[in-house]
Amino acid sequence: MSQTRADQRSDLFDPVELGPYRLANRIAMAPLTRSRATDDGVPGELQAIHYAQRASAGLIINEATNISPQGKGYIRTPGIWSPEQVAGWKLTTKAVHDKGGRIFLQLWHVGRISHPDLQPGGQLPVAPSAVAPENQQAYTAEGFKPIGTPRALETEEIAGIVADYAHAAKCALEAGFDGVEIHAANGYLLQQFLSDKTNKRTDQYGGSIENRTRIVREVVDAVTKVWGGDRVGIRISPLTKFGDIGDSDPEPLYLSLVEELNAYNLAYLHVIEGDTGGDRNPPGGFDLQKLRRAFNGLFMANNNYTLELAIKAREEDLADIICFGRPFISNPDLVERLRSGAPLAEADPNTFYAGEERGYIDYPALTPTSA
Ligand code: 8OZ
């Protein structure tokens, strides 16, 4: 068997310790929203098959999963608050574990990126402040609808949201996941608190950096009480404008956050480098390696990585784990294809967020045994 370039030059395919786990390789499957749960947010056999097909990833981070009915912003996204959802996710965790894989669940509250159609009782979505995102559409049962102005959370309500994270974390444990990732990226609730563009509060959750990071610290505290720090990761996107998010001075904000998080000895920091849309060097950026140097756990890098970029990132020691997103949609055996230099299949965007089996569990592996 001839050695490939990737084999010869990179430790990308070697095991790595993450918390209590020895991952098979340094390639993670990024969380990918695919909108195939029931209207009640219950996943089933379909998700189990999909994730098991991709179990050769060193780590799977499952699709963003709503912590509460209020945390929902897109039709047919899964949840992790009800017994039915826990039972549904057990199919996935068992199927992935049977294939020797590891899977974390991503805890998600969308905040203002929602619509009354998707909220319990048709209420307004909630956010740190009543600031509407510009030019954003919600994906509802009746198609796309413009996102309006959210309701600002009362100070007293925030403890309830932190409690929802704790409850969801317990449900994830019961469902058999290997850990959880806190979604503090991509313009959703936690980033809405972090960013001065969306957080105009005057209480202890707004204003100074210490105040704007408070809810994230409270969520991390609550979730690590359930899981311990070493089975918890957190995802941030300091430079993205996705969801009309933004901060006037992200460097001190995120450096401060990362330094505060060190107290929890988290397993990893998952960083979307550049804009979520793919621009690696958006204006107003800073050197994200500063975050890596400031953080005491593994650094997971994410932003349209190719094999070449991933190898380079390991050679230059810019990241510990590399996340791949879209290539995993159409290449269930992505790790093996990258390792062997095999061509990658193209994914069909028409089935990203819609449909059932098609475009979800019918992309073949190159050889049946590696599926
Ligand atoms: C694409 C479509 C819907 C949701 C994210 C959870 O960006 C998402 C998401 C992405 O983090």
Side-chain angles (χ1 to χ4, degrees), residues 273 286-295 299 301 316-319:
E273 302 169 330
F286 66 98
D287 177 9
L288 296 174
Q289 284 295 307
K290 288 185 183 172
L291 298 180
R292 183 174 190 218
R293 289 191 288 272
F295 184 64
F299 189 91
E316 296 176 8
D317 197 21
L318 302 175

Side-chain angles (χ1 to χ4, degrees), residues 33 64 74 108 183 186 188 235 242 353:
T33 290
Y74 302 79
W108 187 32
H183 194 351
N186 292 351
Y188 298 113
R235 188 183 213 202
F242 190 82
Y353 309 114

Side-chain angles (χ1 to χ4, degrees), residues 31-89:
L32 293 162
T33 290
R34 305 301 304 279
S35 288
R36 282 161 165 88
T38 68
D39 290 338
D40 292 329
V42 179
E45 196 61 50
L46 206 56
Q47 284 77 10
I49 295 168
H50 172 79
Y51 286 114
Q53 287 173 342
R54 288 153 181 80
S56 56
L59 179 67
I60 295 171
I61 303 152
N62 86 335
E63 65 211 84
T65 301
N66 307 125
I67 59 157
S68 64
Q70 185 196 64
K72 181 172 175 175
Y74 302 79
I75 55 163
R76 297 192 61 188
T77 50
I80 187 73
W81 70 81
S82 76
E84 295 76 21
Q85 293 162 351
V86 169
W89 281 126

